[in-house]
Structures are given as C-alpha cells and as structure tokens.
Amino acid sequence: MRSTLITILAVAALSPIGLMAQKESGATDRLHEATDVLADMTHEGDKGIPQDLLNKAKCVVIVPNMKKAGFIFGAKYGRGFAMCRKPSGAGWSAPAAMRIEGGSFGLQIGGSESDVILLVMNDGGMKRLLEDKFTLGGDASVAAGPVGRTASAQTDAQMHAEMLSWSRTRGIFAGLSLEGATLRPDHEADKELYGRDYNNRQILMGDAKAPAAAEPLMHELDRISMARNR
C-alpha cells in the first residue's frame, strides 16, 4: 500500500514535467532561445556573471526554460546546449545538445521556469561533458556562482568547483545550486541538428561542423569573449 502511494505521488510530481516537455520547442528554436539567454544573462550590468569567470571558463552550458514542478516530490527538467573552447584557443566548438534532469523530496507544491547557465571552470569539468551521464555535486562538483561584474569566486567551494551555475527566474538573477541534478547528452536533438549520430566528444572537441541554426549562438559567445578580453 505504501509503495503504491509513493508511486502515485511520484507520477503526480513528474506529470507536470511530462506535460511541459510535450509542449517544448524544437532544437532549432531552443538554439535561438539559448542565444537570447546568453545575451541577457551576460549583460545584466552589476548583476551579471563576473567577467573574470567568463574569461576563465572552459565551457558554457545554457539551458533556457528549465522546468521545475512538484507535489510532495519535486522534479527538474531542461534541454539546452554545451559549447567548449577549442583546443587551439581560437573560438568555440559547435553546440552539443544536453539534457538536465533531477529530483528532490520535500513539502512543495507548484512549478516554475528558469533560464540556467553553467560555466565549466577546469579540465576536469570539461571531461565530464564528454561522458554519457554525470551527476552535479556527485561526479562533478558544482557551486552557486557569484553575481556581479566585479564579484570574485574566492570561497573554497567556488575556487574548487568544477562548475558554477546561475539562474534567472521572473527577472531575478542569482547563483543557483544544482546538486543532485544529472546532465547527459541529448542525442535526439543532436540528430535533429546535425542529421547524424554524433557524440559529445565529436562535437565539443571540434570534429562536427556547426549547423547554420547555431551560428547566432556561436557569434554571440564569440562576441562576448572578445569583449571580455579587451
């Protein structure tokens, strides 16, 4: 009886996520949404992502409209893209599609959407993106990113974290803890964009030619990188 109740509650929590997932946009539309999120969240003035962290980042993960919903059990779901600096240091890789999923337990009701950006700060974090699946806060260390153009990441957690994360919900911009969530490749979206089966290593290490739909996102990231390096 108890196991049946737990199953019902879990389904109740996840069903809003399922309904929202059915209404989500296609991969090309998500690229455009990711471009807008990147532009907006890096141009927040004194509330933006610190310049020094953008300069140091090895990779960027952008998840527009990550869903959170729950009734007793909570759930997170989002689809976005990762891009890494090329080994040569000249420019960024083509975008690799990613899924973020996670759950929690507690007294909670309701749902929301958040735009999320993760900066991958070292080689260890970048290697995680090449794997089939990993858990934030488990396989890869993650910390809420500091806010403000002149803010520095001097706490122990931020200095040693492989990834730093931020979110924007209803216009409120803040660091975000994503511990317990999982990141994995979104093969369905990659096939939609590239017309063939690529893995994350092939895309992020520079072997894949970026589709035309990805050009605005890559241009925006290049523009931000050049502005930050002046």
Side-chain angles (χ1 to χ4, degrees):
M1 183 69 178
R2 184 178 178 182
S3 62
T4 301
L5 178 59
I6 291 174
T7 300
I8 292 172
L9 291 172
V11 171
L14 292 172
S15 57
I17 297 294
L19 290 173
M20 286 185 286
Q22 291 175 7
K23 299 177 182 179
E24 68 186 9
S25 55
T28 298
D29 289 335
R30 283 198 301 278
L31 280 171
H32 295 317
E33 292 166 0
T35 304
D36 292 339
V37 168
L38 178 64
D40 291 344
M41 291 179 68
T42 54
H43 290 83
E44 288 280 346
D46 290 337
K47 298 179 182 179
I49 297 173
Q51 295 182 17
D52 58 337
L53 296 180
L54 282 164
N55 290 340
K56 295 173 183 176
K58 300 284 186 179
C59 307
V60 177
V61 181
I62 308 163
V63 182
N65 303 319
M66 185 180 78
K67 277 74 172 176
K68 291 199 303 181
F71 179 79
I72 309 302
F73 285 87
K76 304 182 187 76
Y77 171 82
R79 301 175 77 177
F81 302 93
M83 300 170 69
C84 294
R85 294 187 189 275
K86 292 182 178 179
S88 64
W92 295 79
S93 71
M98 303 290 298
R99 290 177 181 261
I100 184 169
E101 298 157 338
S104 60
F105 182 83
L107 294 176
Q108 53 186 305
I109 296 176
S112 64
E113 291 188 2
S114 301
D115 299 319
V116 175
I117 288 182
L118 292 92
L119 295 185
V120 180
M121 303 308 299
N122 54 39
D123 291 335
M126 184 168 65
K127 289 178 181 177
R128 297 296 183 187
L129 291 180
L130 307 182
E131 299 176 358
D132 289 335
K133 182 180 179 179
F134 66 94
T135 302
L136 295 168
D139 302 316
S141 58
V142 62
V147 175
R149 289 189 180 276
T150 60
S152 59
Q154 294 302 315
T155 68
D156 288 342
Q158 291 165 337
M159 284 292 289
H160 296 95
E162 293 175 314
M163 299 184 185
L164 299 173
S165 55
W166 292 262
S167 72
R168 181 183 61 176
T169 303
R170 296 173 184 170
I172 299 174
F173 185 84
L176 172 71
S177 175
L178 284 172
E179 290 193 4
T182 60
L183 275 172
R184 62 184 176 91
D186 187 344
H187 297 298
E188 178 185 344
D190 281 334
K191 192 167 185 178
E192 179 183 341
L193 290 173
Y194 294 94
R196 54 160 291 181
D197 291 323
Y198 274 125
N199 59 43
N200 274 15
R201 181 177 294 276
Q202 290 172 309
I203 298 174
L204 296 176
M205 292 294 97
D207 293 333
K209 181 180 179 181
E215 290 180 3
L217 177 58
M218 298 181 69
H219 174 75
E220 180 63 22
L221 190 53
D222 282 337
R223 190 183 68 79
I224 291 169
S225 299
M226 287 187 290
R228 296 293 185 265
N229 288 323
R230 287 173 185 170

